[in-house]
Amino acid sequence: MLHLVLETRLQSALREVLPEADVSMAQVRPTSDPKLGDYQANAVMSLAKEKRMNPRQLATEVVARLDVSDLCDAVEVAGPGFLNFRLKPSAMAGVLEGALRGEHGMVPPASAPRTVVVDFSSPNVAKPMHVGHIRSTVLGDALSRTLRLLGHRVVTDNHIGDWGTQFGMLLVGWKTLLDPAALEADAIAELERLYKAVNGACTADPGVRDQARAELVKLQSGDTENLGIWKEMIRLSQVQFDTIYGRLGVEFDHTLGESFYNPWLSTVVQDLEARGVARTTDGAKAVFSDGSVPAKEDPFKIQRDGEWLDAPLLVLKSDGGFNYATTDLATLEYRLRTWSPSDILYVTDGRQQGHFKQVFAAFRMWRPDDAAKVRLQHIWFGSILGEDGKPFKTRSGDTVKLAELLDEAEERALAVVKEKRPELPAAEQAEIARVVGLGAIKYQDLLPNRQSDYVFSWDKMLALQGNTAPYLQYQYTRAAKLVRDGGFNPASVKSVQIEAPEERALARQLLNFGLALTAVADECRPNYLCNYLYELAGLSSRFYEACPVLKSEEPVRGSRLALCHLTAMVLRQGLDCLGIGVSDRM
Ligand code: ARG
């Protein structure tokens, strides 16, 4: 947080030297190498280039007007004009003491709170949630939690797929093949069986296909019986989704499925047409390019054999049905009208990139004024691979069901806990295994750059060493135990002393928690927080090795316990942002 104070002072010094320049971009960030100092600013170099000045000379002039002596040693000008800041221990201690008094956590409140809608998870009704849904669910939840901790207003919305042509087949299956006992035992499995059976029959027998189409038309025109069955299918699916969300600790403010937007779809299409954004093509209606950008960047163009062809976005099928995109346009309008968000994040896999580029562009053509007020971002991610490098599947080649995956994580973690802590009561062992198993799965998913594929590995994710959830949870437990054993009371600490290099390194990392969170929020990349916490855990280990805590005399003892307390707090809050729990014993 001290970097923010330094940033403000740097900007005013720059303004004094260059009254006309835009200095708002001048940032103070941690140095890559602590030997250079704690923070660094490189703004002088870009400003010097802009003003055609000698960067070192400009740097010297700025430093002469920069008064940070209360916070830092003398500011150093390095290389071609970097400014390096080394914090005074007293300044670091001041912030930590404030945190102990509860004046602020280690998180600065957002200076400009935003309203962010996060659209994530969004499974489809009548299909089991599988391993692919874990990424959207875990990533969307982590982003929502981080934005909330930073003080933003977050609206989470589960846009479940509860409408579409599959219901024609599901209705035929329900009416002709339903096994009530199987439905009772595992509703989604039974619905999946019905769908597969009717889908197979459709290929063989055009009569069945006509039947499915007729059932769909009846559903769409409001037939009471079909509507009732459809609602029951949604209800049964939602029960299973909720079980998974409950286990994962994921909550939604809203679950507005695709069907919620049905009443607006025809108006959307009419309006798109009236404004010249959509037009008829082969009996269907679609949005075409407006030619405003070069073909290479145009989401409504594709290149084939060296030629650019139209790739329109369909909004009305020739049979009168609406498309996935039509619903997304209606959804956008609803969200803007209802919550006035400044940002909407759509968390889905990378295969939907083309879809969202087209939807966002179509929205800009359709509602240019509204579109200017909101930032739409597709937060996409890669796939989960098996150890063979191919998409992650069960041994028999089926997709891995999420519920089974979570069971296995807990079982595997339980085996480890039983081995390491045989003396604990069974209920406590099970609770630790739950927190560790789920944490391991989530962390493995959040640690890689979201856009790259990753290999699913039980052994790696559950390892107690390395950049894993169990390691971080264990480091939390260690810090929390010291705090407990030391009978620490934050209110009794008069001052935090930062003397040993290990104390300094740990304190500096604690101060940068807010920066890590902001980086996550800015780029929607929770991996920044994972790596921050891993570094923090390592620094805390080095601190315990070099600096005795419980065996020291006061006031050193209290001061070191305070560092343990803040470390435990930041590890817990940081893991909580990732949706990962901690346990006091491990
Ligand atoms: N139900 C969709 C799927 O399973 C994801 C929906 C994402 N959100 C949206 N607004 N399109 O692929």
Side-chain angles (χ1 to χ4, degrees), residues 5-61:
V5 183
L6 294 175
E7 209 166 89
T8 314
R9 299 218 196 144
L10 172 65
Q11 291 180 359
S12 55
L14 281 166
R15 227 174 273 123
E16 275 182 43
V17 181
L18 300 170
E20 265 104 77
D22 174 15
V23 301
S24 62
M25 300 305 280
Q27 289 188 330
V28 174
R29 288 292 174 266
T31 52
S32 48
D33 178 359
K35 275 191 228 96
L36 299 173
D38 297 308
Y39 297 107
Q40 188 164 72
N42 56 18
V44 165
M45 291 175 320
S46 45
L47 283 169
K49 198 164 164 208
E50 202 185 298
K51 303 272 163 204
R52 294 169 193 279
M53 293 170 74
N54 174 331
R56 279 199 71 99
Q57 192 186 334
L58 176 60
T60 316
E61 282 179 43

Short mmCIF file of all heavy atoms in Angstrom, two decimals, residues 5-61:
data_model
loop_
_atom_site.label_atom_id
_atom_site.label_comp_id
_atom_site.label_asym_id
_atom_site.label_seq_id
_atom_site.Cartn_x
_atom_site.Cartn_y
_atom_site.Cartn_z
N VAL A 5 1.25 5.61 -1.91
CA VAL A 5 1.68 6.91 -1.39
C VAL A 5 2.86 7.41 -2.22
O VAL A 5 2.91 8.58 -2.63
CB VAL A 5 2.09 6.78 0.10
CG1 VAL A 5 2.48 8.14 0.65
CG2 VAL A 5 0.98 6.14 0.91
N LEU A 6 3.80 6.49 -2.49
CA LEU A 6 4.97 6.87 -3.29
C LEU A 6 4.54 7.34 -4.68
O LEU A 6 5.06 8.31 -5.22
CB LEU A 6 5.94 5.69 -3.41
CG LEU A 6 6.61 5.25 -2.10
CD1 LEU A 6 7.47 4.00 -2.33
CD2 LEU A 6 7.49 6.37 -1.54
N GLU A 7 3.55 6.64 -5.22
CA GLU A 7 3.08 6.98 -6.56
C GLU A 7 2.51 8.40 -6.60
O GLU A 7 2.81 9.18 -7.50
CB GLU A 7 1.99 5.97 -6.93
CG GLU A 7 1.87 5.69 -8.40
CD GLU A 7 1.03 4.44 -8.62
OE1 GLU A 7 -0.20 4.55 -8.73
OE2 GLU A 7 1.60 3.33 -8.66
N THR A 8 1.69 8.73 -5.59
CA THR A 8 1.10 10.07 -5.55
C THR A 8 2.19 11.14 -5.46
O THR A 8 2.15 12.15 -6.16
CB THR A 8 0.19 10.20 -4.31
OG1 THR A 8 -0.62 9.04 -4.25
CG2 THR A 8 -0.68 11.42 -4.37
N ARG A 9 3.18 10.87 -4.62
CA ARG A 9 4.25 11.89 -4.46
C ARG A 9 5.09 11.98 -5.74
O ARG A 9 5.49 13.07 -6.14
CB ARG A 9 5.14 11.51 -3.28
CG ARG A 9 4.32 11.48 -1.99
CD ARG A 9 5.09 12.03 -0.83
NE ARG A 9 4.43 11.64 0.40
CZ ARG A 9 5.05 11.32 1.52
NH1 ARG A 9 6.38 11.36 1.56
NH2 ARG A 9 4.40 10.98 2.59
N LEU A 10 5.35 10.85 -6.36
CA LEU A 10 6.12 10.88 -7.61
C LEU A 10 5.37 11.69 -8.67
O LEU A 10 5.95 12.52 -9.37
CB LEU A 10 6.37 9.44 -8.11
CG LEU A 10 6.99 9.35 -9.51
CD1 LEU A 10 8.41 9.94 -9.52
CD2 LEU A 10 7.04 7.90 -10.00
N GLN A 11 4.05 11.48 -8.73
CA GLN A 11 3.28 12.20 -9.74
C GLN A 11 3.31 13.70 -9.50
O GLN A 11 3.42 14.48 -10.44
CB GLN A 11 1.83 11.67 -9.78
CG GLN A 11 1.79 10.25 -10.35
CD GLN A 11 0.40 9.65 -10.41
OE1 GLN A 11 -0.57 10.29 -10.01
NE2 GLN A 11 0.30 8.43 -10.92
N SER A 12 3.29 14.11 -8.23
CA SER A 12 3.31 15.57 -8.03
C SER A 12 4.70 16.14 -8.32
O SER A 12 4.81 17.25 -8.85
CB SER A 12 2.75 15.99 -6.68
OG SER A 12 3.42 15.33 -5.66
N ALA A 13 5.78 15.37 -8.03
CA ALA A 13 7.11 15.85 -8.39
C ALA A 13 7.24 15.96 -9.91
O ALA A 13 7.79 16.94 -10.44
CB ALA A 13 8.18 14.91 -7.84
N LEU A 14 6.70 14.96 -10.62
CA LEU A 14 6.76 15.00 -12.09
C LEU A 14 5.99 16.22 -12.62
O LEU A 14 6.43 16.90 -13.54
CB LEU A 14 6.14 13.73 -12.67
CG LEU A 14 7.01 12.47 -12.65
CD1 LEU A 14 6.16 11.23 -12.94
CD2 LEU A 14 8.14 12.57 -13.67
N ARG A 15 4.86 16.49 -12.00
CA ARG A 15 4.03 17.60 -12.44
C ARG A 15 4.77 18.94 -12.24
O ARG A 15 4.66 19.84 -13.06
CB ARG A 15 2.70 17.60 -11.67
CG ARG A 15 1.51 17.78 -12.57
CD ARG A 15 0.20 17.64 -11.81
NE ARG A 15 -0.25 16.26 -11.73
CZ ARG A 15 -0.50 15.60 -10.59
NH1 ARG A 15 -0.32 16.20 -9.42
NH2 ARG A 15 -0.91 14.36 -10.62
N GLU A 16 5.55 19.02 -11.17
CA GLU A 16 6.31 20.25 -10.94
C GLU A 16 7.35 20.47 -12.03
O GLU A 16 7.55 21.57 -12.51
CB GLU A 16 7.03 20.20 -9.58
CG GLU A 16 6.17 20.63 -8.43
CD GLU A 16 6.96 20.59 -7.13
OE1 GLU A 16 8.13 21.03 -7.11
OE2 GLU A 16 6.41 20.07 -6.14
N VAL A 17 8.01 19.35 -12.42
CA VAL A 17 9.06 19.48 -13.44
C VAL A 17 8.46 19.63 -14.83
O VAL A 17 8.95 20.39 -15.66
CB VAL A 17 10.01 18.26 -13.39
CG1 VAL A 17 11.12 18.39 -14.41
CG2 VAL A 17 10.59 18.11 -11.99
N LEU A 18 7.39 18.89 -15.10
CA LEU A 18 6.77 18.91 -16.44
C LEU A 18 5.29 19.26 -16.29
O LEU A 18 4.42 18.39 -16.35
CB LEU A 18 6.88 17.54 -17.11
CG LEU A 18 8.27 16.95 -17.36
CD1 LEU A 18 8.16 15.51 -17.78
CD2 LEU A 18 8.98 17.77 -18.42
N PRO A 19 4.99 20.55 -16.10
CA PRO A 19 3.60 20.93 -15.81
C PRO A 19 2.61 20.49 -16.89
O PRO A 19 1.45 20.26 -16.60
CB PRO A 19 3.65 22.45 -15.71
CG PRO A 19 5.09 22.80 -15.60
CD PRO A 19 5.89 21.69 -16.18
N GLU A 20 3.08 20.36 -18.14
CA GLU A 20 2.12 20.04 -19.21
C GLU A 20 1.90 18.55 -19.41
O GLU A 20 0.96 18.15 -20.09
CB GLU A 20 2.60 20.62 -20.56
CG GLU A 20 2.01 21.98 -20.87
CD GLU A 20 3.06 23.06 -20.64
OE1 GLU A 20 3.93 23.21 -21.50
OE2 GLU A 20 2.99 23.71 -19.57
N ALA A 21 2.79 17.74 -18.85
CA ALA A 21 2.75 16.31 -19.19
C ALA A 21 1.62 15.59 -18.45
O ALA A 21 1.18 16.02 -17.39
CB ALA A 21 4.07 15.67 -18.85
N ASP A 22 1.15 14.50 -19.06
CA ASP A 22 0.18 13.64 -18.38
C ASP A 22 0.97 12.64 -17.54
O ASP A 22 1.62 11.75 -18.07
CB ASP A 22 -0.68 12.92 -19.41
CG ASP A 22 -1.59 11.89 -18.75
OD1 ASP A 22 -1.77 11.95 -17.51
OD2 ASP A 22 -2.13 11.04 -19.47
N VAL A 23 0.92 12.83 -16.23
CA VAL A 23 1.75 12.00 -15.35
C VAL A 23 0.94 10.90 -14.68
O VAL A 23 1.46 10.16 -13.85
CB VAL A 23 2.45 12.85 -14.28
CG1 VAL A 23 3.33 13.90 -14.93
CG2 VAL A 23 1.43 13.50 -13.36
N SER A 24 -0.35 10.79 -15.06
CA SER A 24 -1.20 9.82 -14.36
C SER A 24 -0.75 8.38 -14.59
O SER A 24 -1.12 7.49 -13.85
CB SER A 24 -2.64 9.99 -14.81
OG SER A 24 -2.73 9.71 -16.19
N MET A 25 0.03 8.18 -15.64
CA MET A 25 0.48 6.82 -15.92
C MET A 25 1.68 6.41 -15.07
O MET A 25 2.08 5.25 -15.10
CB MET A 25 0.87 6.66 -17.41
CG MET A 25 -0.26 6.94 -18.37
SD MET A 25 -1.68 5.91 -18.00
CE MET A 25 -1.15 4.38 -18.78
N ALA A 26 2.27 7.35 -14.36
CA ALA A 26 3.47 7.03 -13.58
C ALA A 26 3.13 6.07 -12.45
O ALA A 26 2.32 6.38 -11.59
CB ALA A 26 4.08 8.32 -13.03
N GLN A 27 3.75 4.91 -12.46
CA GLN A 27 3.44 3.88 -11.47
C GLN A 27 4.65 3.53 -10.65
O GLN A 27 5.78 3.61 -11.13
CB GLN A 27 2.99 2.61 -12.19
CG GLN A 27 1.63 2.72 -12.83
CD GLN A 27 1.16 1.38 -13.35
OE1 GLN A 27 1.96 0.54 -13.74
NE2 GLN A 27 -0.14 1.18 -13.34
N VAL A 28 4.38 3.11 -9.42
CA VAL A 28 5.45 2.59 -8.56
C VAL A 28 5.12 1.12 -8.30
O VAL A 28 4.04 0.81 -7.80
CB VAL A 28 5.52 3.39 -7.25
CG1 VAL A 28 6.52 2.76 -6.29
CG2 VAL A 28 5.90 4.84 -7.54
N ARG A 29 6.02 0.24 -8.68
CA ARG A 29 5.77 -1.20 -8.59
C ARG A 29 6.94 -1.92 -7.92
O ARG A 29 8.06 -1.39 -7.93
CB ARG A 29 5.57 -1.77 -9.99
CG ARG A 29 4.26 -1.37 -10.64
CD ARG A 29 3.08 -2.02 -9.91
NE ARG A 29 1.79 -1.56 -10.41
CZ ARG A 29 1.09 -0.56 -9.90
NH1 ARG A 29 1.57 0.14 -8.87
NH2 ARG A 29 -0.07 -0.21 -10.39
N PRO A 30 6.71 -3.11 -7.37
CA PRO A 30 7.82 -3.82 -6.74
C PRO A 30 8.95 -4.07 -7.75
O PRO A 30 8.70 -4.28 -8.93
CB PRO A 30 7.20 -5.16 -6.33
CG PRO A 30 5.74 -4.91 -6.27
CD PRO A 30 5.45 -3.85 -7.29
N THR A 31 10.18 -4.03 -7.27
CA THR A 31 11.31 -4.34 -8.14
C THR A 31 11.34 -5.84 -8.38
O THR A 31 10.87 -6.62 -7.55
CB THR A 31 12.65 -3.97 -7.46
OG1 THR A 31 12.66 -4.59 -6.16
CG2 THR A 31 12.80 -2.49 -7.31
N SER A 32 11.93 -6.23 -9.50
CA SER A 32 12.03 -7.67 -9.76
C SER A 32 13.14 -8.26 -8.88
O SER A 32 13.09 -9.41 -8.51
CB SER A 32 12.33 -7.91 -11.23
OG SER A 32 13.37 -7.06 -11.64
N ASP A 33 14.13 -7.43 -8.54
CA ASP A 33 15.25 -7.92 -7.74
C ASP A 33 15.35 -7.08 -6.46
O ASP A 33 15.64 -5.89 -6.54
CB ASP A 33 16.53 -7.79 -8.57
CG ASP A 33 17.75 -8.24 -7.78
OD1 ASP A 33 17.60 -8.63 -6.60
OD2 ASP A 33 18.85 -8.19 -8.36
N PRO A 34 15.10 -7.69 -5.31
CA PRO A 34 15.10 -6.91 -4.05
C PRO A 34 16.41 -6.19 -3.78
O PRO A 34 16.42 -5.21 -3.02
CB PRO A 34 14.84 -7.95 -2.97
CG PRO A 34 14.45 -9.22 -3.65
CD PRO A 34 14.84 -9.12 -5.08
N LYS A 35 17.49 -6.62 -4.44
CA LYS A 35 18.76 -5.92 -4.24
C LYS A 35 18.69 -4.49 -4.73
O LYS A 35 19.40 -3.61 -4.25
CB LYS A 35 19.89 -6.65 -5.00
CG LYS A 35 20.49 -7.80 -4.20
CD LYS A 35 21.76 -8.30 -4.88
CE LYS A 35 21.76 -9.81 -5.01
NZ LYS A 35 21.31 -10.32 -6.30
N LEU A 36 17.80 -4.24 -5.69
CA LEU A 36 17.68 -2.89 -6.25
C LEU A 36 16.85 -1.97 -5.36
O LEU A 36 16.79 -0.77 -5.58
CB LEU A 36 17.00 -2.95 -7.62
CG LEU A 36 17.73 -3.78 -8.69
CD1 LEU A 36 16.87 -3.90 -9.93
CD2 LEU A 36 19.07 -3.13 -9.01
N GLY A 37 16.18 -2.54 -4.39
CA GLY A 37 15.28 -1.74 -3.56
C GLY A 37 13.94 -2.45 -3.51
O GLY A 37 13.82 -3.58 -3.96
N ASP A 38 12.96 -1.76 -2.94
CA ASP A 38 11.65 -2.40 -2.79
C ASP A 38 10.72 -2.10 -3.96
O ASP A 38 9.97 -2.93 -4.40
CB ASP A 38 11.01 -1.95 -1.48
CG ASP A 38 11.84 -2.40 -0.28
OD1 ASP A 38 12.15 -3.60 -0.21
OD2 ASP A 38 12.21 -1.54 0.55
N TYR A 39 10.78 -0.84 -4.41
CA TYR A 39 9.90 -0.43 -5.50
C TYR A 39 10.69 0.30 -6.57
O TYR A 39 11.77 0.82 -6.32
CB TYR A 39 8.78 0.48 -4.99
CG TYR A 39 7.87 -0.21 -4.01
CD1 TYR A 39 7.91 0.09 -2.65
CD2 TYR A 39 6.97 -1.18 -4.45
CE1 TYR A 39 7.07 -0.55 -1.76
CE2 TYR A 39 6.12 -1.83 -3.57
CZ TYR A 39 6.17 -1.52 -2.22
OH TYR A 39 5.36 -2.15 -1.34
N GLN A 40 10.09 0.33 -7.74
CA GLN A 40 10.75 0.98 -8.86
C GLN A 40 9.71 1.74 -9.69
O GLN A 40 8.56 1.33 -9.75
CB GLN A 40 11.39 -0.10 -9.73
CG GLN A 40 12.27 0.44 -10.83
CD GLN A 40 13.16 -0.66 -11.38
OE1 GLN A 40 12.67 -1.54 -12.07
NE2 GLN A 40 14.46 -0.60 -11.09
N ALA A 41 10.17 2.84 -10.31
CA ALA A 41 9.30 3.57 -11.24
C ALA A 41 10.07 3.76 -12.53
O ALA A 41 11.25 4.10 -12.50
CB ALA A 41 8.91 4.93 -10.65
N ASN A 42 9.43 3.54 -13.66
CA ASN A 42 10.13 3.76 -14.93
C ASN A 42 9.50 4.87 -15.76
O ASN A 42 9.84 5.07 -16.92
CB ASN A 42 10.23 2.46 -15.74
CG ASN A 42 8.87 1.84 -15.98
OD1 ASN A 42 7.85 2.53 -15.85
ND2 ASN A 42 8.83 0.57 -16.33
N ALA A 43 8.60 5.63 -15.11
CA ALA A 43 7.86 6.66 -15.86
C ALA A 43 8.76 7.73 -16.44
O ALA A 43 8.48 8.28 -17.51
CB ALA A 43 6.84 7.32 -14.93
N VAL A 44 9.87 8.02 -15.74
CA VAL A 44 10.73 9.10 -16.21
C VAL A 44 11.22 8.82 -17.63
O VAL A 44 11.28 9.70 -18.47
CB VAL A 44 11.93 9.26 -15.24
CG1 VAL A 44 13.02 10.10 -15.88
CG2 VAL A 44 11.46 9.87 -13.93
N MET A 45 11.51 7.54 -17.88
CA MET A 45 12.06 7.21 -19.20
C MET A 45 11.07 7.46 -20.32
O MET A 45 11.42 8.03 -21.35
CB MET A 45 12.56 5.77 -19.19
CG MET A 45 13.79 5.69 -18.30
SD MET A 45 14.48 4.08 -18.04
CE MET A 45 13.12 3.06 -17.88
N SER A 46 9.81 7.04 -20.11
CA SER A 46 8.85 7.26 -21.20
C SER A 46 8.54 8.75 -21.35
O SER A 46 8.39 9.24 -22.47
CB SER A 46 7.58 6.44 -20.97
OG SER A 46 7.17 6.55 -19.64
N LEU A 47 8.47 9.47 -20.21
CA LEU A 47 8.21 10.92 -20.32
C LEU A 47 9.37 11.63 -20.99
O LEU A 47 9.15 12.54 -21.80
CB LEU A 47 7.96 11.51 -18.92
CG LEU A 47 6.57 11.21 -18.35
CD1 LEU A 47 6.50 11.59 -16.88
CD2 LEU A 47 5.49 11.98 -19.14
N ALA A 48 10.60 11.23 -20.68
CA ALA A 48 11.77 11.87 -21.29
C ALA A 48 11.75 11.66 -22.81
O ALA A 48 12.04 12.57 -23.58
CB ALA A 48 13.06 11.31 -20.69
N LYS A 49 11.35 10.45 -23.20
CA LYS A 49 11.31 10.13 -24.62
C LYS A 49 10.27 11.03 -25.31
O LYS A 49 10.54 11.64 -26.36
CB LYS A 49 10.92 8.67 -24.79
CG LYS A 49 11.26 8.12 -26.15
CD LYS A 49 11.23 6.60 -26.12
CE LYS A 49 11.18 6.07 -27.54
NZ LYS A 49 10.51 4.78 -27.60
N GLU A 50 9.11 11.14 -24.67
CA GLU A 50 8.02 11.95 -25.22
C GLU A 50 8.46 13.41 -25.36
O GLU A 50 8.14 14.07 -26.34
CB GLU A 50 6.87 11.82 -24.22
CG GLU A 50 5.50 12.12 -24.74
CD GLU A 50 4.50 12.05 -23.58
OE1 GLU A 50 4.37 10.96 -22.99
OE2 GLU A 50 3.89 13.10 -23.26
N LYS A 51 9.20 13.90 -24.35
CA LYS A 51 9.59 15.32 -24.35
C LYS A 51 10.97 15.53 -24.97
O LYS A 51 11.53 16.63 -24.88
CB LYS A 51 9.61 15.86 -22.91
CG LYS A 51 8.31 15.71 -22.17
CD LYS A 51 7.39 16.89 -22.42
CE LYS A 51 5.98 16.50 -22.02
NZ LYS A 51 4.91 17.22 -22.64
N ARG A 52 11.57 14.48 -25.51
CA ARG A 52 12.91 14.53 -26.08
C ARG A 52 13.91 15.15 -25.11
O ARG A 52 14.62 16.10 -25.40
CB ARG A 52 12.93 15.35 -27.38
CG ARG A 52 12.13 14.70 -28.47
CD ARG A 52 11.94 15.66 -29.64
NE ARG A 52 10.92 15.17 -30.54
CZ ARG A 52 11.14 14.24 -31.46
NH1 ARG A 52 12.33 13.73 -31.64
NH2 ARG A 52 10.16 13.81 -32.24
N MET A 53 13.93 14.59 -23.89
CA MET A 53 14.88 15.08 -22.89
C MET A 53 15.84 13.95 -22.54
O MET A 53 15.57 12.80 -22.82
CB MET A 53 14.13 15.49 -21.60
CG MET A 53 13.25 16.70 -21.80
SD MET A 53 12.19 16.92 -20.36
CE MET A 53 13.37 17.54 -19.17
N ASN A 54 16.94 14.30 -21.88
CA ASN A 54 17.86 13.30 -21.39
C ASN A 54 17.23 12.64 -20.15
O ASN A 54 16.97 13.32 -19.16
CB ASN A 54 19.20 13.98 -21.04
CG ASN A 54 20.17 13.02 -20.38
OD1 ASN A 54 19.77 12.07 -19.70
ND2 ASN A 54 21.44 13.27 -20.59
N PRO A 55 16.99 11.34 -20.20
CA PRO A 55 16.23 10.70 -19.11
C PRO A 55 16.94 10.79 -17.76
O PRO A 55 16.29 11.01 -16.73
CB PRO A 55 16.09 9.24 -19.55
CG PRO A 55 17.01 9.05 -20.69
CD PRO A 55 17.29 10.39 -21.28
N ARG A 56 18.25 10.65 -17.75
CA ARG A 56 18.94 10.69 -16.45
C ARG A 56 18.84 12.08 -15.84
O ARG A 56 18.68 12.24 -14.64
CB ARG A 56 20.40 10.26 -16.58
CG ARG A 56 20.55 8.74 -16.61
CD ARG A 56 21.96 8.32 -16.26
NE ARG A 56 22.31 8.51 -14.86
CZ ARG A 56 22.29 7.55 -13.93
NH1 ARG A 56 21.89 6.33 -14.27
NH2 ARG A 56 22.65 7.79 -12.70
N GLN A 57 18.92 13.07 -16.72
CA GLN A 57 18.84 14.44 -16.20
C GLN A 57 17.44 14.73 -15.67
O GLN A 57 17.28 15.30 -14.59
CB GLN A 57 19.20 15.43 -17.31
CG GLN A 57 19.40 16.82 -16.76
CD GLN A 57 19.62 17.83 -17.86
OE1 GLN A 57 20.10 17.46 -18.95
NE2 GLN A 57 19.27 19.07 -17.60
N LEU A 58 16.43 14.27 -16.41
CA LEU A 58 15.06 14.46 -15.94
C LEU A 58 14.89 13.75 -14.60
O LEU A 58 14.29 14.30 -13.66
CB LEU A 58 14.07 13.93 -16.98
CG LEU A 58 12.60 13.97 -16.58
CD1 LEU A 58 12.13 15.39 -16.30
CD2 LEU A 58 11.71 13.36 -17.67
N ALA A 59 15.44 12.54 -14.52
CA ALA A 59 15.32 11.77 -13.28
C ALA A 59 15.91 12.56 -12.11
O ALA A 59 15.31 12.65 -11.03
CB ALA A 59 16.01 10.42 -13.43
N THR A 60 17.08 13.13 -12.33
CA THR A 60 17.74 13.87 -11.26
C THR A 60 16.88 15.07 -10.82
O THR A 60 16.73 15.34 -9.63
CB THR A 60 19.12 14.35 -11.74
OG1 THR A 60 19.75 13.27 -12.42
CG2 THR A 60 19.99 14.80 -10.59
N GLU A 61 16.31 15.75 -11.81
CA GLU A 61 15.46 16.90 -11.47
C GLU A 61 14.22 16.48 -10.69
O GLU A 61 13.80 17.17 -9.76
CB GLU A 61 15.00 17.62 -12.75
CG GLU A 61 16.08 18.51 -13.35
CD GLU A 61 15.59 19.19 -14.63
OE1 GLU A 61 14.43 19.65 -14.65
OE2 GLU A 61 16.36 19.20 -15.61
#
